[in-house]
Amino acid sequence: MDVSVIIVNYKVPDYIYQCVLSLKKALIHYDYEIFVVDNNSQDNSSDFLNKYHKDIIYIQNNDNLGFSRANNIAIKQAKGKYVLIINPDTFVSEDIIDICVDFMNSHEDAAACGVKMFSAQGKYARESKRGIPKVFTAFCKLVGLCTLFPKSKLFGKYYMGHLNENEVCEIEILSGAFMFVRNDAFEKVGVFDEDYFMYGEDIDLSYRFLKAGYKNYFLPIPIIHYKGESTQKISYQYVNNFNKSMIIFFKKHFSIYSWLLEFPILSAVYFKALIGYFKVGLFKLLGLVPSVQDVAYKKKFLVFTNFDDESDDPALKILNKFGYKTDVIHINDDTMKNGHLSLQNNGNDYDFVVYNTSIFSFKDIISYFTKNNKPDDVEVALYHPDINKIITSIQVLEL
């Protein structure tokens, strides 16, 4: 078998539908298997996914086992020469597997490769390539030096900002949102460390690959990772989980230094949490937190349609049901060639641009949306005619 794909699900079946749909187009010339490991979602995930993707291997857990343990269940069953670990809230281009397989076949020293991730707003995600969080590197991230000096090899090593994100390069740490791994490397170094519940397990595994004599690579292939930027990085839960994972990593790999960093890391957790709660409280006090209704009616969608009569377009019917503002671009040869880029938003302020996946390829959608001349703060949304739903980074809309 060529490729085994593993996706962990926790109450996001629509995003997995979209992710698998894009992957199947990329895997069409390969012998593959797709595992979906469900962490006790207790919803309709199984029935929904098996209806539209009957060939997936669905593994149901009775508890939320976390990222590491859930992936490991499938990794131990994977038959592919390569194993793709991928987050459910992603979609990929039709040529991504070809590029990854060709690269790994020609680089026997590679344990794994990662790709160039973009947020739903088409912004490059720095976590696409990272350095080993040794003491000084972790300190620079903790105090913000890597943000102040992002291109510095000394201060910005956490995100390896000194390396060009438009070129293939050797890196140290891969993102668990997309890891294309040689199965033999798992057999040599082991699977994910189950001491990590969420966050940090990708750092640990990448470092173990390096210690075993392998190399990790970054390939400048763009993908969309919805939650790459929308995760609330100031929230207590995120900061707490991530930084506690760092403590686990230091105790395991750099135990002589772990006591030096445990206090400042925990201090940072509580300080950032306090700042986050203060901000939320202040916004509420000043009346700056809009109601759900206000947010809904302020959203505006630009929709590409191939219907002569706009009232027949099912995507527009969905948006009209929720009362969203809409504008329409009728598809012609120029539209298909240039997407919305040549329009420069046509002078209007849109929040989302909706692409119909039966008309536009995933590769074209990603290409259109990750160009620098795209209007800022506009998010990608995909309409899938088979399920008649619009999927955005924040919600799934259906009739």
Side-chain angles (χ1 to χ4, degrees):
M1 182 164 293
D2 300 317
V3 181
S4 299
V5 178
I6 301 173
I7 309 170
V8 176
N9 175 50
Y10 185 68
K11 300 182 179 181
V12 287
D14 295 300
Y15 292 93
I16 290 184
Y17 166 84
Q18 178 171 272
C19 179
V20 172
L21 182 66
S22 69
L23 282 167
K24 283 185 174 180
K25 292 177 183 292
L27 288 161
I28 192 169
H29 301 300
Y30 295 89
D31 181 19
Y32 69 88
E33 59 187 357
I34 299 176
F35 294 89
V36 174
V37 186
D38 186 271
N39 267 338
N40 197 29
S41 293
Q42 297 185 342
D43 58 10
N44 70 334
S45 290
S46 176
D47 293 338
F48 174 76
L49 290 171
N50 281 306
K51 177 181 178 181
Y52 292 104
H53 296 300
K54 298 181 186 298
D55 56 342
I56 63 173
I57 302 168
Y58 199 91
I59 300 173
Q60 181 66 59
N61 293 329
N62 295 324
D63 297 293
N64 186 350
L65 303 181
F67 184 84
S68 294
R69 292 177 66 189
N71 273 296
N72 287 348
I73 291 171
I75 291 171
K76 292 171 183 177
Q77 300 179 40
K79 301 174 184 176
K81 178 180 179 181
Y82 299 110
V83 178
L84 172 60
I85 307 295
I86 188 169
N87 272 23
D89 54 345
T90 59
F91 62 88
V92 302
S93 61
E94 286 81 356
D95 60 353
I96 194 167
I97 300 299
D98 286 339
I99 296 172
C100 288
V101 168
D102 288 347
F103 181 85
M104 295 293 286
N105 283 345
S106 62
H107 291 75
E108 294 294 332
D109 60 346
C113 62
V115 294
K116 188 176 182 180
M117 299 185 295
F118 288 84
S119 72
Q121 293 182 340
K123 296 178 180 178
Y124 169 65
R126 293 191 298 168
E127 59 267 27
S128 300
K129 52 181 175 62
R130 290 173 290 172
I132 300 167
K134 294 181 179 179
V135 175
F136 183 73
T137 303
F139 172 79
C140 289
K141 182 180 187 298
L142 187 67
V143 301
L145 288 173
C146 68
T147 300
L148 288 173
F149 306 100
K151 299 294 184 181
S152 169
K153 189 173 182 179
L154 179 63
F155 299 120
K157 190 177 179 183
Y158 186 86
Y159 293 117
M160 304 197 84
H162 60 287
L163 298 178
N164 191 335
E165 64 264 21
N166 296 312
E167 298 177 356
V168 174
C169 51
E170 187 178 332
I171 61 172
E172 294 174 342
I173 303 299
L174 300 157
S175 169
F178 187 105
M179 299 180 76
F180 196 81
V181 185
R182 192 183 305 278
N183 207 342
D184 287 349
F186 279 127
E187 294 178 5
K188 184 172 182 179
V189 309
V191 293
F192 287 109
D193 187 334
E194 296 182 2
D195 284 346
Y196 302 89
F197 181 81
M198 185 176 292
Y199 307 121
E201 62 283 306
D202 50 358
I203 298 174
D204 180 89
L205 181 63
S206 298
Y207 185 52
R208 284 190 281 131
F209 286 152
L210 297 179
K211 290 173 68 176
Y214 287 108
K215 293 180 180 179
N216 299 321
Y217 288 91
F218 166 84
L219 308 184
I221 318 166
I223 72 168
I224 299 293
H225 180 205
Y226 275 151
K227 302 299 181 182
E229 197 166 76
S230 61
T231 302
Q232 289 297 316
K233 299 296 176 75
I234 62 169
S235 71
Y236 172 78
Q237 184 177 11
Y238 171 83
V239 175
N240 188 48
N241 287 339
F242 182 81
N243 287 294
K244 283 190 174 179
S245 294
M246 290 298 94
I247 292 173
I248 295 173
F249 179 80
F250 276 109
K251 286 184 174 179
K252 177 178 179 180
H253 296 289
F254 306 106
S255 58
I256 190 171
Y257 301 114
S258 63
W259 65 272
L260 288 171
L261 284 172
E262 186 161 356
F263 176 75
I265 286 176
L266 289 176
S267 297
V269 169
Y270 296 115
F271 177 73
K272 289 187 177 181
L274 181 64
I275 294 296
Y277 288 133
F278 175 76
K279 278 180 157 180
V280 172
L282 181 62
F283 286 169
K284 287 181 177 179
L285 181 65
L286 297 176
L288 298 178
V289 180
S291 67
V292 174
Q293 291 80 6
D294 288 338
V295 171
Y297 284 99
K298 287 179 180 177
K299 296 294 183 186
K300 189 172 183 180
F301 288 73
L302 173 63
V303 181
F304 288 105
T305 183
N306 61 342
F307 286 84
D308 293 331
D309 186 346
E310 295 173 11
S311 64
D312 293 331
D313 191 310
L316 285 167
K317 288 180 181 179
I318 294 173
L319 296 171
N320 289 335
K321 169 191 172 183
F322 288 92
Y324 289 114
K325 299 174 183 177
T326 59
D327 206 348
V328 176
I329 297 296
H330 287 272
I331 295 174
N332 54 40
D333 290 341
D334 289 337
T335 309
M336 290 299 292
K337 182 179 180 181
N338 300 312
H340 68 281
L341 301 177
S342 61
L343 303 172
Q344 281 297 298
N345 244 16
N346 205 23
N348 295 312
D349 293 324
Y350 302 114
D351 299 288
F352 295 92
V353 178
V354 182
Y355 295 97
N356 185 325
T357 56
S358 68
I359 301 171
F360 293 91
S361 70
F362 285 100
K363 182 177 181 178
D364 282 345
I365 294 168
I366 294 170
S367 178
Y368 296 157
F369 219 80
T370 56
K371 299 297 185 183
N372 291 331
N373 57 339
K374 178 192 72 66
D376 292 338
D377 301 326
V378 178
E379 291 197 12
V380 66
L382 301 189
Y383 171 72
H384 299 284
D386 288 345
I387 60 174
N388 198 26
K389 294 180 181 182
I390 296 173
I391 300 179
T392 77
S393 66
I394 58 175
Q395 60 188 331
V396 177
L397 303 171
E398 61 181 313
L399 288 174

